[in-house]
């Protein structure tokens, strides 16, 4: 695999403080994906919302985030990643305030859409800024903290949401789950403006408007039916839209090729589209994130509805997963770029083993379940995630030159979101299809076991994809950055 050459300049002296600021903003975004789930009953009661209305509180955020990642990631390459990151955090903070103050369900859905677009402004810049701020030998360790952040956010969302709603601060019910972002966002903007170094802007780069349109249509054709299809019983239009995604993606690639031949702006550089390792890496990201969000979606239903856990108890029960992620990420990050392929094979195999232990645990359950029953399977799964995430992100982004870091990170996260939507749709379909109208603990156990078979298959597929990687010595960067304009202010 080709990697970016080491920058000539000395590494930024405050790069670890920069990383902490980026992770804080990223955590704020990630936690908002899951924190809403526990607020659904309170939302319905307070705003008089229907099930379909509340579903769009979640769906609007996912849809806007997925649609915005690729074009807004590329925009960061053009206007400057520091500037785009700060704009994104500021807009996300404003969106959180609008959500917390929303007087009606319609206003809340609109605010969530705005919040999702704001998240898409900042998140590609987070990965891109790490890519250009850290020297190659430190990137693996830096990226390991994204595994820690993702693991913590997956559990902290339900935990924080349950605690805030239970406290009913000033009788605000569900509103504090959004308002809590305001001081965090203000702090991130203030500190980020001081610490994050100015970043170079790609010379002669403009927005590829046709590419933006084609990419948006292709992502919409995938994400929208996956978000809405299961809830509506998979109507014919959902399959038509999914089928239309392939020709739209093909048109996008053809257009990017034409733009490259004309030396015109490209949304996603053709050098990345043609790079086998970048494309294979996107497939690996899709596989990984089609497993975990669907898994936690099903586990929340299994624990809360099947076994009567409260939202807070459910969040506490899943703590072994982020604990495993934290431990393994720190250990894995110490390897840097060494043994990346081996870790990318071993990590998913550990994840699959954790799911197998979970399957055996559920098989042996009677009518009682405690959080102690989940320590081993969730802890092992978390270790697998921690081993996987650092080399996965670092390995994919090594083929992206500094000039295209924003668009490369945006593409990576767009596939991550599509994988998450796919996983929730498929995992939910498997679980609810098996459950049917049954309402017994035996039925919930059987449904979860069927979902766990899917999870094991996904992680075994990820290990197989990783075994196909050929990680070699540096041979020049894809999308090299021969020219740039002065850094942003």
């Amino acid at each position: 695999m080709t990697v970016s050459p080491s920058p000539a300049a000395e590494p930024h002296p405050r790069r670890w403080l920069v990383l902490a600021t980026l992770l804080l903003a990223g955590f704020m975004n990630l936690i908002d994906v899951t924190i809403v789930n526990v607020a659904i009953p309170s939302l319905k009661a307070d705003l008089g919302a229907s099930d379909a209305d509340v579903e769009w509180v979640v769906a609007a955020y996912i849809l806007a985030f997925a649609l915005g990642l690729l074009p807004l990631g590329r925009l960061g390459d053009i206007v400057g990643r520091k500037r785009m990151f700060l704009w994104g955090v500021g807009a996300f903070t404003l969106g959180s305030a609008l959500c917390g103050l929303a007087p009606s369900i319609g206003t809340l859905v609109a605010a969530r859409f705005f919040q999702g677009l704001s998240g898409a402004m900042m998140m590609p810049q987070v990965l891109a800024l790490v890519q250009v701020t850290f020297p190659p030998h430190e990137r693996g360790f830096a990226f390991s903290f994204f595994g820690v952040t993702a693991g913590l956010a997956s559990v902290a969302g339900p935990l924080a949401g349950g605690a805030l709603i239970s406290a009913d601060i000033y009788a605000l019910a569900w509103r504090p789950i959004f308002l809590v972002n305001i001081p965090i966002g203000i702090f991130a903007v203030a500190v980020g403006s001081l610490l994050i170094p100015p970043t170079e802007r790609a010379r002669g780069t403009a927005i590829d408007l046709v590419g933006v349109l084609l990419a948006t249509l292709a992502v919409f054709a995938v994400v929208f039916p996956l978000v809405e299809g299961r809830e509506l019983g998979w109507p014919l239009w959902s399959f038509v839209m999914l089928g239309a995604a392939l020709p739209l993606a093909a048109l996008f690639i053809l257009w990017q090729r034409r733009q490259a031949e004309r030396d015109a702006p490209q949304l996603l550089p053709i050098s990345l589209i043609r790079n086998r390792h970048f494309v294979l890496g996107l497939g690996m990201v899709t596989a990984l994130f089609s497993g975990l969000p669907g898994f936690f979606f099903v586990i929340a239903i299994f624990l809360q509805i099947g076994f009567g856990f409260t939202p807070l108890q459910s969040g506490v029960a899943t703590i072994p997963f982020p604990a495993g992620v934290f431990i393994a990420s720190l250990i894995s990050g110490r390897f840097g770029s060494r043994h990346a392929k081996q870790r990318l094979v071993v990590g998913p195999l550990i994840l699959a083993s954790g799911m197998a232990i979970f399957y055996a645990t559920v098989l042996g359950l009677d009518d009682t379940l405690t959080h102690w029953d989940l320590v081993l399977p969730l802890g092992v799964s978390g270790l697998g995630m921690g081993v996987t995430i650092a080399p996965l992100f670092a390995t994919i982004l090594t083929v992206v030159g500094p000039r295209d870091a924003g668009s490369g990170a945006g593409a990576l996260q767009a596939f991550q979101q599509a994988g998450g939507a796919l996983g929730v749709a498929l995992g939910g379909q498997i679980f609810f299809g098996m459950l049917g109208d049954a309402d017994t603990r035996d039925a919930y156990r059987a449904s979860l076991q069927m979902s766990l078979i899917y999870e094991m298959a996904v992680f075994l597929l990820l290990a197989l994809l990783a075994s196909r990687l050929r990680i070699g010595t540096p041979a020049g960067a894809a999308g090299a950055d021969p020219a740039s304009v002065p850094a942003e202010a």
Side-chain angles (χ1 to χ4, degrees):
M1 174 178 285
T2 58
V3 298
S4 302
S6 300
E10 288 294 319
H12 192 273
R14 294 179 294 181
R15 59 193 179 279
W16 294 106
L17 292 176
V18 171
L19 177 64
T21 305
L22 297 174
L23 290 174
L24 177 64
F27 182 81
M28 183 174 64
N29 172 76
L30 290 169
I31 201 173
D32 252 50
V33 177
T34 57
I35 198 171
V36 176
N37 293 336
V38 299
I40 288 175
S42 181
L43 276 170
K44 292 178 67 176
D46 189 43
L47 298 179
S50 67
D51 289 338
D53 291 333
V54 172
E55 182 186 357
W56 268 105
V57 173
V58 178
Y61 184 94
I62 296 173
L63 189 61
F65 189 57
L67 292 177
L69 281 167
L70 194 53
L72 293 173
R74 190 55 169 173
L75 190 59
D77 294 332
I78 298 170
V79 305
R81 297 178 193 109
K82 175 181 178 178
R83 181 179 291 117
M84 195 67 173
F85 171 76
L86 295 176
W87 288 352
V89 177
F92 191 89
T93 305
L94 174 61
S96 298
L98 294 174
C99 288
L101 299 174
S104 66
I105 190 66
T107 307
L108 179 59
V109 170
R112 285 285 284 173
F113 192 88
F114 176 76
Q115 198 184 33
L117 284 178
S118 305
M121 288 177 67
M122 68 177 175
M123 287 308 292
Q125 320 315 322
V126 170
L127 291 177
L129 283 166
V130 171
Q131 177 75 356
V132 300
T133 303
F134 283 82
H137 69 278
E138 290 182 345
R139 285 179 197 153
F141 189 49
F143 279 120
S144 70
F145 287 95
F146 285 91
V148 176
T149 304
L152 290 175
S154 67
V155 174
L159 270 175
L164 288 170
I165 293 170
S166 298
D168 195 18
I169 302 170
Y170 295 113
L172 290 174
W174 53 271
R175 297 179 187 276
I177 69 171
F178 297 113
L179 298 177
V180 73
N181 288 334
I182 296 175
I184 298 173
I186 292 173
F187 176 81
V189 170
V191 174
S193 63
L194 294 174
L195 290 181
I196 298 173
T199 56
E200 293 182 336
R201 295 176 283 127
R203 173 177 293 166
T205 305
I207 287 290
D208 172 15
L209 294 177
V210 175
V212 169
L213 176 62
L214 291 173
T216 300
L217 290 174
V219 173
F220 184 79
V222 172
V223 175
F224 185 81
L226 289 177
V227 169
E228 285 289 283
R230 183 187 60 79
E231 188 69 23
L232 299 178
W234 296 107
L236 178 61
W237 62 259
S238 63
F239 294 102
V240 172
M241 286 187 69
L242 287 170
L246 287 176
L248 285 169
L251 283 173
F252 173 75
I253 293 172
L254 290 173
W255 176 257
Q256 297 305 292
R257 183 181 300 166
R258 179 176 181 269
Q259 291 292 90
E261 291 170 352
R262 299 167 55 203
D263 197 25
Q266 302 165 62
L267 180 61
L268 184 62
I270 197 67
S271 59
L272 294 182
I273 297 174
R274 290 172 174 166
N275 189 294
R276 174 181 177 271
H277 297 291
F278 184 75
V279 174
L280 183 58
L282 294 181
M284 293 169 63
V285 166
T286 304
L288 176 62
F289 287 94
S290 74
L292 290 174
F295 170 70
F296 281 105
F297 171 69
V298 168
I299 284 298
I301 296 169
F302 174 78
L303 293 177
Q304 294 182 41
I305 300 178
F307 281 82
F309 282 45
T310 66
L312 187 57
Q313 289 171 334
S314 176
V316 170
T318 54
I319 285 177
F321 182 86
V325 172
F326 181 81
I327 294 169
S329 293
L330 292 180
I331 296 173
S332 179
R334 289 293 181 182
F335 284 92
S337 59
R338 292 175 289 128
H339 311 298
K341 180 175 179 178
Q342 290 85 345
R343 285 183 285 150
L344 284 174
V345 173
V346 170
L349 292 178
I350 296 175
L351 267 166
S353 300
M355 296 298 148
I357 296 171
F358 212 129
Y359 185 96
T361 301
V362 174
L363 186 64
L365 284 178
D366 51 25
D367 283 340
T368 60
L369 174 68
T370 70
H371 66 278
W372 295 111
D373 296 316
L374 307 181
V375 171
L376 180 60
L378 286 177
V380 171
S381 299
L383 289 173
M385 177 68 172
V387 170
T388 304
I389 197 72
L392 178 58
F393 279 17
T395 298
I396 295 170
L397 291 178
T398 51
V399 303
V400 182
R403 176 188 178 94
D404 301 317
S407 58
L412 186 155
Q413 292 184 311
F415 275 80
Q416 175 183 334
Q417 289 301 308
L422 176 64
V424 171
L426 291 179
Q429 186 66 31
I430 292 169
F431 184 85
F432 288 112
M434 184 73 181
L435 184 64
D437 295 327
D439 193 26
T440 66
R441 290 186 172 178
D442 284 339
Y444 277 96
R445 283 197 296 266
S447 300
L448 179 61
Q449 285 176 300
M450 189 61 67
S451 297
L452 290 170
I453 292 174
Y454 167 75
E455 300 292 337
M456 285 185 275
V458 166
F459 296 133
L460 290 174
L461 172 63
L462 179 56
L464 177 62
L465 291 174
S467 70
R468 307 297 299 170
L469 282 174
R470 296 176 184 173
I471 305 176
T473 54
D481 192 21
S484 59
V485 298
E488 57 186 307

